[in-house]
Amino acid sequence: MARIRVLVVDDHRIFAESLAAALAAEPDVEVAAAGSGPAALRALERAAAESRRFDVMLVDADLGASAAQPPRAVQVPEQGEGGLADGIALVAGVRTGQLAVRSVVLAEKDDPRRAALALQAGAAGWVAKDCSLQRLLAVIRGVLRDETHLPPALLTGVLRELTAARKHRTESERLVQSLTPREREVLRCMVAGLGRKAVAERLFLSPHTVRTHMQNVLGKLGVHSTLAAVALARRAGVGPADLARDVVERGGQLA
């Protein structure tokens, strides 16, 4: 009998252990538990290294803030303007780290916006914490068949949220496309968290020139602060500048 390997991630120890015990009673389910995001990522990486990958990760939507600090190369998107709850940020971090596990978010209550965020982050399901064990098992087996599971009452709201998010992303992409190549490079530096002086040093420009570029970026994006520009850039899929890169363009030459 093929066994389903499940990782329960919840910082409420009693709930996590109780759920793990209930699932482990099933003859085809093998369960482990983690109490934080970093612990979950370590468990996933260790299992992958040992060729014993987890199939499904059940993660609390309200996981503690420690989930935002994953170990090593797995980078979880920043919170804030995007509205990602910590458990949902962990799901996104797992996807970014290309850890082959299907994620299901466990929530205290139905919330169309957060459920939509979970799906955008890479979750395959959103399930109420107080659902029956049989319902949870059906979801676990369903996501392994590449199904997406949502409570029926959430479906309309989630579709509305996803449609709105797609519209905002399209508009954000259009605005970013209006930037010059240099302005887009400056924007990527802003997304990476660099200040004016650091951007100037990186791009071999004067601080005054960088200030002008930043003002142009804000004006073209129609925002009034660096934080808002970074949030819009993220919606448009703009990633941070690669701060580890040694080769930087300088006046058309490589320096």
Side-chain angles (χ1 to χ4, degrees), residues 166-211:
R166 189 177 301 113
K167 179 180 178 181
H168 291 154
R169 179 182 177 89
T170 300
E171 176 64 14
S172 299
E173 289 172 343
R174 184 187 67 79
L175 291 171
V176 168
Q177 286 301 316
S178 72
L179 302 178
T180 66
R182 177 62 82 188
E183 288 166 351
R184 284 198 290 273
E185 183 64 22
V186 169
L187 178 60
R188 292 181 65 237
C189 290
M190 294 164 66
V191 172
L194 299 183
R196 187 189 312 164
K197 182 178 179 181
V199 175
E201 292 176 352
R202 174 177 174 76
L203 300 182
F204 297 99
L205 300 172
S206 71
H208 176 74
T209 299
V210 171
R211 179 183 180 184

Side-chain angles (χ1 to χ4, degrees), residues 5 14 31-32 38 49 60-61 73 75 86 98 115 126 135 159-160 165 183-184 198 240 247:
R5 301 199 71 226
I14 293 177
V31 190
D60 177 20
Q75 296 298 316
D86 289 331
Q98 298 181 339
W126 175 280
R135 165 63 180 162
L159 290 176
R160 185 184 304 115
E183 288 166 351
R184 284 198 290 273
V247 179

Side-chain angles (χ1 to χ4, degrees), residues 31-100:
V31 190
S36 69
L41 289 166
R42 287 193 294 271
L44 291 169
E45 292 173 341
R46 184 168 56 250
E50 296 173 354
S51 298
R52 299 177 64 249
R53 296 179 183 274
F54 285 98
D55 301 298
V56 178
M57 178 177 71
L58 304 177
V59 56
D60 177 20
D62 298 313
L63 191 67
S66 59
Q69 300 296 330
R72 294 197 291 278
V74 180
Q75 296 298 316
V76 172
E78 292 181 1
Q79 293 175 255
E81 192 72 18
L84 290 178
D86 289 331
I88 301 173
L90 174 60
V91 173
V94 167
R95 182 178 65 175
T96 300
Q98 298 181 339
L99 297 171

